Amino acid sequence: MSKKLKIALPKGSLQDSTVELFRKAGYNIYVSSRGYRPTSDDDDLELFLIRAQEIGRYVNDGFIDCGITGRDWIYENRADVEVLTDLQYSKATSRPTRWVLVVPEDSPITCAEDLQGKRIATEGVGITERWLQEKGIKAHVEFSWGATEVKVPELVDAIVDITETGSSIKANKLRIVDTLMTSYPQFIANKETMEDEWKRQKLEAMVLMLKGALEARRKVGLKMNLPAAALDGLVEALPSLRRPTISHLAEEGWLAVETVIDESAVRDIIPRLKSLGAEGIIEYPLNKLVY
Amino acid sequence: MSKKLKIALPKGSLQDSTVELFRKAGYNIYVSSRGYRPTSDDDDLELFLIRAQEIGRYVNDGFIDCGITGRDWIYENRADVEVLTDLQYSKATSRPTRWVLVVPEDSPITCAEDLQGKRIATEGVGITERWLQEKGIKAHVEFSWGATEVKVPELVDAIVDITETGSSIKANKLRIVDTLMTSYPQFIANKETMEDEWKRQKLEAMVLMLKGALEARRKVGLKMNLPAAALDGLVEALPSLRRPTISHLAEEGWLAVETVIDESAVRDIIPRLKSLGAEGIIEYPLNKLVY
Amino acid sequence: MSKKLKIALPKGSLQDSTVELFRKAGYNIYVSSRGYRPTSDDDDLELFLIRAQEIGRYVNDGFIDCGITGRDWIYENRADVEVLTDLQYSKATSRPTRWVLVVPEDSPITCAEDLQGKRIATEGVGITERWLQEKGIKAHVEFSWGATEVKVPELVDAIVDITETGSSIKANKLRIVDTLMTSYPQFIANKETMEDEWKRQKLEAMVLMLKGALEARRKVGLKMNLPAAALDGLVEALPSLRRPTISHLAEEGWLAVETVIDESAVRDIIPRLKSLGAEGIIEYPLNKLVY
Amino acid sequence: MSKKLKIALPKGSLQDSTVELFRKAGYNIYVSSRGYRPTSDDDDLELFLIRAQEIGRYVNDGFIDCGITGRDWIYENRADVEVLTDLQYSKATSRPTRWVLVVPEDSPITCAEDLQGKRIATEGVGITERWLQEKGIKAHVEFSWGATEVKVPELVDAIVDITETGSSIKANKLRIVDTLMTSYPQFIANKETMEDEWKRQKLEAMVLMLKGALEARRKVGLKMNLPAAALDGLVEALPSLRRPTISHLAEEGWLAVETVIDESAVRDIIPRLKSLGAEGIIEYPLNKLVY
Amino acid sequence: MSKKLKIALPKGSLQDSTVELFRKAGYNIYVSSRGYRPTSDDDDLELFLIRAQEIGRYVNDGFIDCGITGRDWIYENRADVEVLTDLQYSKATSRPTRWVLVVPEDSPITCAEDLQGKRIATEGVGITERWLQEKGIKAHVEFSWGATEVKVPELVDAIVDITETGSSIKANKLRIVDTLMTSYPQFIANKETMEDEWKRQKLEAMVLMLKGALEARRKVGLKMNLPAAALDGLVEALPSLRRPTISHLAEEGWLAVETVIDESAVRDIIPRLKSLGAEGIIEYPLNKLVY
Amino acid sequence: MSKKLKIALPKGSLQDSTVELFRKAGYNIYVSSRGYRPTSDDDDLELFLIRAQEIGRYVNDGFIDCGITGRDWIYENRADVEVLTDLQYSKATSRPTRWVLVVPEDSPITCAEDLQGKRIATEGVGITERWLQEKGIKAHVEFSWGATEVKVPELVDAIVDITETGSSIKANKLRIVDTLMTSYPQFIANKETMEDEWKRQKLEAMVLMLKGALEARRKVGLKMNLPAAALDGLVEALPSLRRPTISHLAEEGWLAVETVIDESAVRDIIPRLKSLGAEGIIEYPLNKLVY
């Protein structure tokens, strides 16, 4: 049997966007509806779908070479792994998740120090206990299997929960007291794995492609024809058009200018290009962008 | 504020069938799509939706008076509570769930004793450790956040998982080695709660109604007209028609016979009733049945 | 062509529950997915699906004999029609709808009088103007085609809108200042239609059946066997068991007792019946109930 | 292995309603999403899901004991089987299907005789050829795998197709020229099967239960209290109340009257019962009705 | 608080395609499922979701700076606004909607003049009355809340309704007599808004981007390699390739030709390009196209 | 009426992907939900939706000029037609379908020869009979309307069925004994049609576009800037970059390199390009690719 790189993808809420990111990076991953072991069109990979909570642990122990999981669960597991790159998937998840201390709107608790001697429920017992310890606070922390928000104030005094927008917290008439940590997905590897030359090179290529695919999401290609005389004005006026590709056209006195810019800047830049004399401005989509 | 009975319903897979059972028993429960605190049309109740895994713990501690959860999680939590009644909800869930020791089809492990020194992943760490202890086996048991089936054999040697039909196990090419325990939903109460007269009576009425609703699911009403002369033959031939209600009709020589029987027996009994002379045999549905 | 009763059903939010109510009352109505003219299994009926807002107008003018619509729109249209019966469809809609005066949470408007000289948007221009007139307030009322809630405070100072639970109002950070009227569905008829003997009798039968179907929704049948000696205690203890049907059983000393009670009372009554000696208590569903 | 009755249910459009009918008759049939062999809660049965087109053939040949299929396919297959009972499932399918000769709206073909020498496409080659033969018409009949309606007039001159309402025919701008046969589901058995005493009795019980379930769909139970004096008037006025069950109530001078009537007659009968003095009229649903 | 441009988007059938068009133009708009006030990634914008019927009125009155609505409703409201550009969204809606006079198939009404003294129902009372007035016809026009098609001929003699394809009209067995007006979405602004320099420039940039996004929908990019000798033939043969961008390749005697053409013309042009000697013809998608 | 090319598309499982392929090739086809005759934006085409089983027959007979169907059904029908091109639609269907001989897992049949004297059911009677004949085997072959897999072993000894992955066969506990033929979609034409100059040219253009669209699915465009000195190394190292387009940039010493490569090769090639000194590597999607 040939050499394999064992890679863990997070089962659950991040699963679909992770598979989609890999597809855009050039790795097609097939998840069957029933079993848990995905396959791919890259024979070098052996894939696992594992809860994000556990990936750090198994990568740390070397059962698995590398994986995608959240910075929070790596910390919760005290996993000693190599972080290859941060990955901010999409507009929806580019917002980092936050671990927050939450109490009922009318709770007397207004800061971390008020937790002294209180009961706290959370999925992140380690995150919470280490944060309390750093602050020198003693409190009872119990593991919560979910539906954590319903527990205050009858069952516990406060909870530590994950949120992106805070909207669910408001809907439950709760209040955020403090933020314990922020998190986002990371591509991590076992430290011994990195010493294997074949695996290291494989991982570096994957990082390049994943970043190339992520980069392309926020960028678009732009090309236009420009009177040669207008070029200096263009570069001066729009320094954000970093290092455009310029070629001479068959038509005397005209240049073809091509570049890549942030999609979010297009609506400001196209009107200015037009006023500088650009013609036939085309914006087109990218699959990947590797500088 | 008036007196309340705090009751926990299991959030998740049992949630819908639990709410439906209460509705059939006469208690309408309203679960909002967003928040976690349900309401009901019985002002005596204060409702909580909590993971089945935690209900036993909170009832044991007295934060909540009573609740519906599985026998397994009561045991896992070592909850010292009063079991009011077993509840077998529907045909779908009347099959008890089982906690089973599972290994890959081609694993060398064939009995509990083979686990000595091995690694086991499970959501039920307590159930597994106490079972190993009873058998005098030493093994490493680690908590699994889910997707447990994918872990053998790369990450652990065996898993302890919940199954109803075993079909998911076969689909993953795994094999059941042993059964640790069987489980089904139970209605439990805190022991001090039972000493409060008002709460105890409230709970007894609820048990009566829940059992009445469950009973009615498996039964139907049957009524027919019968020549008086045929009555003895009927009772002799069909002892399963336990204590039918018999009344005289205005028409001389005819009786109205009415009873309740198992729905599953109807297809055998109706043809026999007909051959005994019964006429106008009607089967009708029941909402509740309280003996 | 034979004589027909022209009847209008409300197209839109009440449509499905109206068709369902008629089905339960014994009239099967078939609504095609495409065209608007429904058919039924009652050849005496000619059916129209019309917006609730317009039914009162067309019944008033005699283009249509009768219809189901809301009390509010009858009033809005100043329709001079005969109200045959109120209809409160289901638990979901048994709560009457309310027309409320609504302003932003932080608006200075706190009572009707504060509307003097202000701008109000509403779908019910007539309802609003007549209410203002009764209070002697002058304000500009403009017709709103919908999405009324978004209009305050930029486009108008206040709105008059329909609500059942008020939850949409809170979600939009609005505040209810006053209630203009409450409404529920009514079965109405043109006044000349009522002078046609055939149509009047047809309408009376429909009212009987519609009310019989509605009544059955909130009631269940109850029967049980009772020792004859316990009967007096039963009637005394449970006056809500109004006029039960009592028959003698073949078995000496036992009575069969049968009655109809509110579904919501069952959970209280069955435990008491049992303590009074009742046996084989059966609750069964009703299709219709006509006293 | 114990004795089994092999029974074929029609896979496809009739499948769900057939399974539902059996469930109502007391036989729970479980169809898995993947494989084709259903199971049931009656160990006497061995079930097959087979296309309706083929059931007659396999029952005729004795590979299968009995089955549910359409009268049309029995005829198409020239299957020589015993028809146990007709089954008209539900309001939706109680309308028999028809095999009709169809041409484009503007076709010159207006009667069967115009088919002489023409091309006809149909799924029912046997039905069509035998019908043409009886009429002495010669035409080319070719088997159609489906989408038959699209074939006229480019590919064939006429088609013979199945229809219930004719609406699909109109939507395709086609016209019905003639009806070849009407069809509805039938419960059939192999002739040798009927000579096996155990199988014959089993089949007779199934027929009784299936008919009892079908009968109950169109009927409801009705009960009421009636002044004894009104009884004669009742029976005279409403002969459709065939043979009601009458019992004396404990209350002097009142009778309890109970009967079963067509659901479609209820809306006419209840108003008349009320005018005859009936009180507490209850309509309730039936599961089965066996006279 | 910074300066804002208040913009109204049409709530309802055009909503999704409007939001999508803005997204393609570079403006991401977020519509929450509950409340009505959308947000965007452009802090200069303050967004409103309002019925298309009302947008013209509020823009005219200056409560809102600008908006997207139909030409018909601008006319209905007699809104005196500046039309910035027509917008024809997608293939689905590039077909303009029409306001048509509709009667039953068998109505005696065959032209506008036949309406004299008749009753007409419509959502567009203003459109209809002004059209009648221009023709010198007197008729009763009443406001219809919807389901207008069901009203003829029982409730009114004719209706004026919106249609795109006329298919719903045919399905209801109605006939189009005349067309009152055609309509399509327009981007409009308040006249005073246009005098504010900041707002005017903002609006001009938006128009540029919206048109650039719409243009790109119907166009594709095309590039190919061409022997230099073939260029003249190409331009002569395909004048539709307006002003292609031509650059010299490193390979002697070959040119790179790049242009933008109508997507619908591609299937005709590519075969001709190939026969002229073009190689490596690539068609690629565009996001925006600004000439 | 103008000249038309009659083309048949396969109704059923291939329908959506065929319509999608035509759309990508530049032909928009509109399939209505009800009727069967599709329309398109190419007035030269007259479209038919016909079962794949029948298309070969109708093209052979000249009722239809051309069509898309499977190689298997062309063979089954012994259709003598011109194959214009093979079409392998998408990753999902690029896997050819296979006709396989299948028996129960525990059947004694292990090779074709064991079929002597046995019963076989299949949808492809012709395929099966011709295959048996070639092997000199005599067996009874009967037409199966579907659900073929359920028929072994009770109704027949073996089946011949279509499969792509074989997974449904395993799920039914069946075993593949032999493969009769493999199949994939083909674009075919009537032989006389090809002699009509207008039709032949039309078909050639369609083939060009369909292949251009298919080709583009598996390819992407790639462009980058490259130091001129690195060009030789690039071509040597990556011969798969067949004939890149190279142009000089305005910036001295840099080239723009552009090419098209297999999407599946991108993840290997981009890392190597980067190590060769390429900058600003962009991957972009293609709509069509015609060499």
Side-chain angles (χ1 to χ4, degrees), chain A residues 223 250 267 274 279 281 283, chain E residues 243 246 258 287-288 290:
Chain A
K223 53 188 167 187
R267 68 189 187 213
K274 191 141 189 292
E279 293 193 359
I281 307 169
E283 180 200 316
Chain E
R243 223 186 143 200
I246 295 159
E258 186 155 5
N287 286 344
K288 292 193 189 69
V290 176

Side-chain angles (χ1 to χ4, degrees), chain E:
Chain E
M1 197 169 122
S2 66
K3 201 160 185 178
K4 295 281 189 188
L5 185 78
K6 292 190 182 181
I7 180 168
L9 306 185
K11 184 173 175 61
S13 61
L14 274 178
Q15 176 176 324
D16 288 348
S17 53
T18 305
V19 167
E20 177 64 9
L21 174 64
F22 273 75
R23 194 189 61 70
K24 294 205 165 170
Y27 306 87
N28 287 294
I29 292 172
Y30 311 110
V31 179
S32 77
S33 61
R34 196 64 191 267
Y36 294 106
R37 197 63 64 91
T39 58
S40 81
D41 62 357
D42 183 344
D43 290 341
D44 293 343
L45 302 182
E46 184 177 355
L47 292 111
F48 294 79
L49 266 181
I50 302 181
R51 293 269 168 208
Q53 290 92 329
E54 302 178 320
I55 288 176
R57 188 170 77 194
Y58 288 120
V59 170
N60 178 84
D61 294 352
F63 290 108
I64 286 180
D65 290 308
C66 61
I68 308 276
T69 184
R71 184 174 161 264
D72 44 5
W73 295 113
I74 299 166
Y75 180 85
E76 171 80 16
N77 286 316
R78 296 174 181 273
D80 183 23
V81 294
E82 178 130 352
V83 176
L84 301 174
T85 185
D86 295 345
L87 294 172
Q88 273 154 15
Y89 283 15
S90 66
K91 267 159 199 159
T93 64
S94 65
R95 195 188 304 232
T97 53
R98 289 185 298 149
W99 285 81
V100 288
L101 175 68
V102 172
V103 297
E105 275 177 5
D106 56 3
S107 164
I109 296 173
T110 61
C111 62
E113 285 64 31
D114 294 343
L115 293 174
Q116 192 72 35
K118 295 288 194 272
R119 294 164 53 88
I120 308 171
T122 182
E123 271 191 282
V125 171
I127 291 168
T128 305
E129 286 184 342
R130 285 158 75 184
W131 180 78
L132 288 170
Q133 200 170 344
E134 283 163 18
K135 294 195 173 277
I137 300 164
K138 288 202 173 150
H140 170 76
V141 180
E142 68 183 35
F143 177 64
S144 172
W145 293 75
T148 312
E149 283 152 335
V150 78
K151 295 184 177 176
V152 278
E154 281 87 352
L155 309 183
V156 293
D157 300 295
I159 62 173
V160 170
D161 213 352
I162 304 173
T163 189
E164 280 191 30
T165 63
S167 65
S168 163
I169 287 170
K170 269 177 234 155
N172 280 283
K173 307 212 170 172
L174 304 176
R175 172 166 47 85
I176 294 178
V177 173
D178 208 340
T179 297
L180 285 73
M181 78 178 295
T182 57
S183 181
Y184 36 79
Q186 294 183 318
F187 188 13
I188 59 172
N190 176 273
K191 294 200 162 173
E192 284 184 33
T193 290
M194 293 305 284
E195 290 165 17
D196 177 312
E197 182 61 16
W198 180 86
K199 290 187 178 177
R200 196 182 49 71
Q201 282 192 11
K202 181 82 197 173
L203 283 167
E204 282 170 0
M206 292 181 78
V207 166
L208 194 72
M209 299 309 288
L210 288 166
K211 286 171 72 176
L214 273 182
E215 193 66 26
R217 284 203 203 180
R218 284 181 284 265
K219 303 280 183 179
V220 290
L222 210 60
K223 53 187 169 188
M224 73 209 75
N225 295 342
L226 193 75
L231 185 62
D232 289 349
L234 179 81
V235 174
E236 196 174 325
L238 293 171
S240 60
L241 297 186
R242 60 173 232 154
R243 223 186 143 200
T245 299
I246 295 159
S247 50
H248 296 279
L249 294 181
E251 189 173 353
E252 196 77 27
W254 282 85
L255 302 169
V257 178
E258 186 155 5
T259 190
V260 162
I261 64 171
D262 276 6
E263 189 172 21
S264 62
V266 171
R267 68 188 186 214
D268 294 326
I269 287 176
I270 284 184
R272 300 180 66 181
L273 291 175
K274 192 140 188 293
S275 69
L276 286 165
E279 292 192 0
I281 307 169
I282 288 171
E283 181 200 315
Y284 62 92
L286 306 179
N287 286 344
K288 292 193 189 69
L289 171 58
V290 176
Y291 292 117

Side-chain angles (χ1 to χ4, degrees), chain B residues 255-280:
Chain B
L255 301 170
V257 177
E258 185 155 7
T259 189
V260 163
I261 64 171
D262 276 5
E263 189 173 20
S264 62
V266 170
R267 68 188 186 212
D268 294 326
I269 286 177
I270 284 185
R272 300 180 66 182
L273 290 176
K274 190 138 190 295
S275 69
L276 285 166
E279 293 192 0

